[in-house]
Amino acid sequence: MSVAENYKRVQLKVKEAAERRGGSPESVKIIAISKRHPNESIYQGIKAGITDFGENRVQEAIQKVEEIQEAVNWHFIGTLQKNKIKYIINKFCLIHSVDTLALAEALNNQAEKNNTSFNILMQLNISREEVKHGFEAENALQEAKKIMALKNLNLKGVMGMAPWLEDIEKTRPYFKELKDVSNVMNKAGIEAPEISMGMSGDYEIAIEEGSTMVRVGTAIFGTRQY
Ligand SMILES: *Cc1c(COP(=O)(O)O)cnc(C)c1O
């Protein structure tokens, strides 16, 4: 299957899942996760109409951002070390993976120094796995308020990952929890409505539960090369 055919299929499934929750296809943005795929695959994606790409490693990401001479939106979705922030200034439309207040403060400082800002999502540890990063749902509102006070950050919403489960239907409660956190923030007057949830294996369920952005890699580009 080509990237174009895969993307078409994903678009159709996104549309159908959005309709099942009573939304329009435009209510869900597809972010094509191009990590560990060559530039050639990204160009195929651009030709097929993909506008948003996501990467999870700083070095690989900035190389691609610099090499791909097309006006596309780049998202950063991976673990970000504070000493690497300086490399990502003004390169990404959205950082999905802000997982601690300390990282938010470091991003804010670098943005201020460079007279710019970062659009960010708060990553929540909805799966509660030791290896996964993020804020705890219980503290999310309190931490969101602190992030809102950081002048050079624009908090756009939340991000989360369900655990890998054989029975994907079991991922649903995790997505519901992230949607609940988003609702709590909204009720508290925090205008940050984006909900980045759903990957190749579970994006249809995530959309049914309220996702506004899905991060789909394998279903578009195929298996990654390591
Ligand atoms: C790799 C990755 C994805 C995409 O995973 P697929 O299963 O290939 O769709 C989504 N989100 C994050 C945070 C990732 O690291």
Side-chain angles (χ1 to χ4, degrees):
M1 281 288 211
S2 70
V3 169
E5 286 169 309
N6 288 341
Y7 179 54
K8 228 180 188 169
R9 188 154 26 88
V10 170
Q11 274 184 307
L12 180 63
K13 287 186 177 179
V14 165
K15 175 176 173 283
E16 288 170 350
E19 283 166 359
R20 284 199 293 279
R21 76 169 187 212
S24 69
E26 295 76 38
S27 64
V28 184
K29 178 168 277 174
I30 300 170
I31 299 162
I33 305 304
S34 48
K35 65 188 188 195
R36 252 81 81 222
H37 287 283
N39 291 358
E40 178 50 32
S41 300
I42 296 172
Y43 283 119
Q44 286 172 16
I46 293 169
K47 247 194 192 153
I50 298 175
T51 56
D52 288 72
F53 293 87
E55 288 283 334
N56 76 332
R57 289 180 182 172
V58 171
Q59 202 187 345
E60 181 181 350
I62 54 177
Q63 192 176 340
K64 283 173 176 167
V65 172
E66 279 160 15
E67 286 173 2
I68 307 279
Q69 297 291 322
E70 303 274 346
V72 295
N73 302 314
W74 290 97
H75 297 247
F76 191 79
I77 63 162
T79 307
L80 183 57
Q81 281 152 356
K82 292 193 203 92
N83 61 354
K84 302 247 171 96
I85 294 172
K86 55 182 180 281
Y87 303 118
I88 67 162
I89 303 267
N90 295 335
K91 291 202 160 66
F92 297 91
C93 66
L94 184 62
I95 316 291
H96 291 232
S97 43
V98 177
D99 56 357
T100 62
L101 188 61
L103 177 60
E105 288 167 347
L107 282 161
N108 186 63
N109 286 343
Q110 278 289 342
E112 197 178 349
K113 266 189 207 157
N114 290 276
N115 218 347
T116 185
S117 60
F118 285 110
N119 295 329
I120 67 156
L121 302 179
M122 284 172 72
Q123 181 171 351
L124 271 90
N125 184 15
I126 46 171
S127 66
R128 291 196 172 68
E129 289 170 271
E130 287 290 327
V131 294
K132 294 248 166 76
H133 302 266
F135 294 94
E136 301 305 323
E138 296 73 22
N139 310 329
L141 177 58
Q142 194 187 327
E143 301 296 275
K145 285 178 180 166
K146 293 178 192 163
I147 290 174
M148 290 296 286
L150 301 172
K151 296 274 181 293
N152 294 63
L153 296 188
N154 307 313
L155 179 62
K156 297 290 186 186
V158 292
M159 179 271 222
M161 270 181 273
W164 191 89
L165 297 166
E166 188 91 48
D167 175 4
I168 59 157
E169 191 54 39
K170 292 211 168 97
T171 61
R172 199 177 289 279
Y174 297 94
F175 296 132
K176 272 196 164 73
E177 185 180 10
L178 193 56
K179 172 71 178 168
D180 285 346
V181 170
S182 176
N183 286 341
V184 165
M185 285 169 50
N186 184 257
K187 284 213 182 83
I190 295 173
E191 242 180 89
E194 299 295 345
I195 307 177
S196 169
M197 61 182 187
M199 304 168 43
S200 291
D202 55 24
Y203 67 92
E204 290 167 272
I205 290 180
I207 291 168
E208 288 170 12
E209 296 304 329
S211 172
T212 67
M213 297 180 165
V214 290
R215 307 178 310 271
V216 180
T218 311
I220 293 173
F221 296 112
T223 313
R224 285 181 280 275
Q225 306 294 310
Y226 286 91

